[in-house]
Amino acid sequence: MSTKVKNDMREVMQTAWQFVRRNGYTMAEALRTAWANIKLRKAMAERIVKFYFQKVDGSIREAYGTLKSTLVPAVTGNGRKPNDSVQTYFDTEKNEWRCFKKANLLRIA
């Protein structure tokens, strides 16, 4: 098994356990959501991706986002420490950086 696959598996399991502990997910739900987050991040690194997540207020948000370096503005340090429970992305409709809770990802279109 390659190192890349091992790292992906490690990240999926760490994220899934985080969902179980913090959000009360079953392990099956947690693994499904963790894999969806990994796939979304990898897809956004290559192109603009349409996805859906549940906002904190309970409404469903359709988003078009990317992490591809040629499509996002230059990033400068913002003084914040990283938060592993949220996924940041560049919203191509609003032309701003946005984020959502990883546990709230519903699906990738």
Side-chain angles (χ1 to χ4, degrees):
M1 193 179 301
S2 73
T3 304
K4 185 177 175 304
V5 172
K6 285 181 184 178
N7 289 339
D8 285 350
M9 293 294 290
R10 181 180 301 114
E11 185 178 352
V12 166
M13 291 306 293
Q14 287 174 343
T15 305
W17 276 113
Q18 181 183 55
F19 294 158
V20 169
R21 286 190 306 270
R22 291 185 185 172
N23 304 92
Y25 281 23
T26 65
M27 194 56 168
E29 291 171 322
L31 285 168
R32 190 176 316 112
T33 305
W35 273 115
N37 275 282
I38 298 287
K39 290 177 185 176
L40 174 64
R41 193 182 73 238
K42 286 184 181 215
M44 285 196 298
E46 298 174 2
R47 65 184 188 285
I48 297 171
V49 180
K50 178 180 174 182
F51 58 96
Y52 297 87
F53 63 91
Q54 185 173 2
K55 293 171 52 174
V56 176
D57 67 7
S59 61
I60 305 299
R61 165 110 155 77
E62 175 186 80
Y64 292 86
T66 188
L67 295 172
K68 188 169 183 175
S69 59
T70 57
L71 300 175
V72 300
V75 178
T76 58
N78 59 5
R80 289 181 167 182
K81 63 179 184 177
N83 183 346
D84 64 345
S85 67
V86 298
Q87 174 64 56
T88 57
Y89 66 97
F90 187 76
D91 190 316
T92 56
E93 291 181 310
K94 299 190 187 278
N95 284 325
E96 293 180 345
W97 287 97
R98 301 287 179 154
C99 67
F100 64 92
K101 291 183 180 181
K102 290 179 179 180
N104 293 347
L105 179 64
L106 297 175
R107 66 184 173 98
I108 303 167

